[in-house]
Amino acid sequence: MQKQALSFAFVSGVGWVLDFLILSMLVNGDVSPGLSNLCSATVAAIFVYFVARKFIFKRSFGLAATGGFVFYVIYTLCIVLFFSFLIQLLTPWLHDLLIGIGVNLTLAFSAMISKVIVTPINLAINFVVAKFITLRM
């Protein structure tokens, strides 16, 4: 289990870099932080699901896996919507806080910091759910 958790953390880290790059491009292109996270996190979560299923949990992609993938997509949309909403709320609050203490950052950079803050919680939840789905479906 510990090896799987570490492997999942590594694959999730790669997914997070992908997520962060897409998020950065979108928020710098004036897309709202919440919508940017919705797009970037969905792409990254699907990437992590397929890589983890194949290489960490050693499960195939046959017809039996379809139900698990559909469930994972529904789960992903729900969790991504939740964390996108959280980032949408956290970003302006964090931005104002930083401005108030003399740290002059862009709103886009504040969105990226918000993403860093929520990521550990999201990672832990995703590991538990991905393992459950992969081993049960």
Side-chain angles (χ1 to χ4, degrees):
M1 168 110 162
Q2 184 178 4
K3 183 180 180 209
Q4 282 183 334
L6 290 174
S7 297
F8 188 83
F10 175 77
V11 169
S12 292
V14 172
W16 189 82
V17 169
L18 175 66
D19 181 354
F20 199 77
L21 290 172
I22 295 169
L23 175 81
S24 299
M25 288 187 304
L26 292 173
V27 294
N28 281 308
D30 290 331
V31 178
S32 76
L35 183 58
S36 296
N37 188 69
L38 179 65
C39 296
S40 65
T42 300
V43 169
I46 291 172
F47 163 79
V48 169
Y49 174 81
F50 280 113
V51 172
R53 181 173 186 90
K54 175 82 173 155
F55 298 106
I56 297 171
F57 302 122
K58 310 285 190 224
R59 299 290 190 209
S60 67
F61 295 110
L63 187 57
T66 305
F69 179 67
V70 169
F71 184 82
Y72 189 76
V73 167
I74 293 167
Y75 157 76
T76 295
L77 290 175
C78 292
I79 200 79
V80 167
L81 282 170
F82 172 76
F83 280 102
S84 296
F85 178 71
L86 191 59
I87 288 170
Q88 186 70 28
L89 293 176
L90 184 59
T91 297
W93 177 83
L94 181 63
H95 185 255
D96 291 345
L97 176 72
L98 292 170
I99 296 281
I101 62 171
V103 179
N104 192 12
L105 299 175
T106 65
L107 188 64
F109 198 77
S110 296
M112 290 180 248
I113 294 171
S114 297
K115 178 75 172 181
V116 170
I117 291 170
V118 303
T119 293
I121 301 162
N122 196 357
L123 175 64
I125 294 168
N126 285 347
F127 172 72
V128 171
V129 172
K131 182 170 176 119
F132 173 80
I133 291 170
T134 302
L135 297 179
R136 303 273 190 278
M137 300 179 172

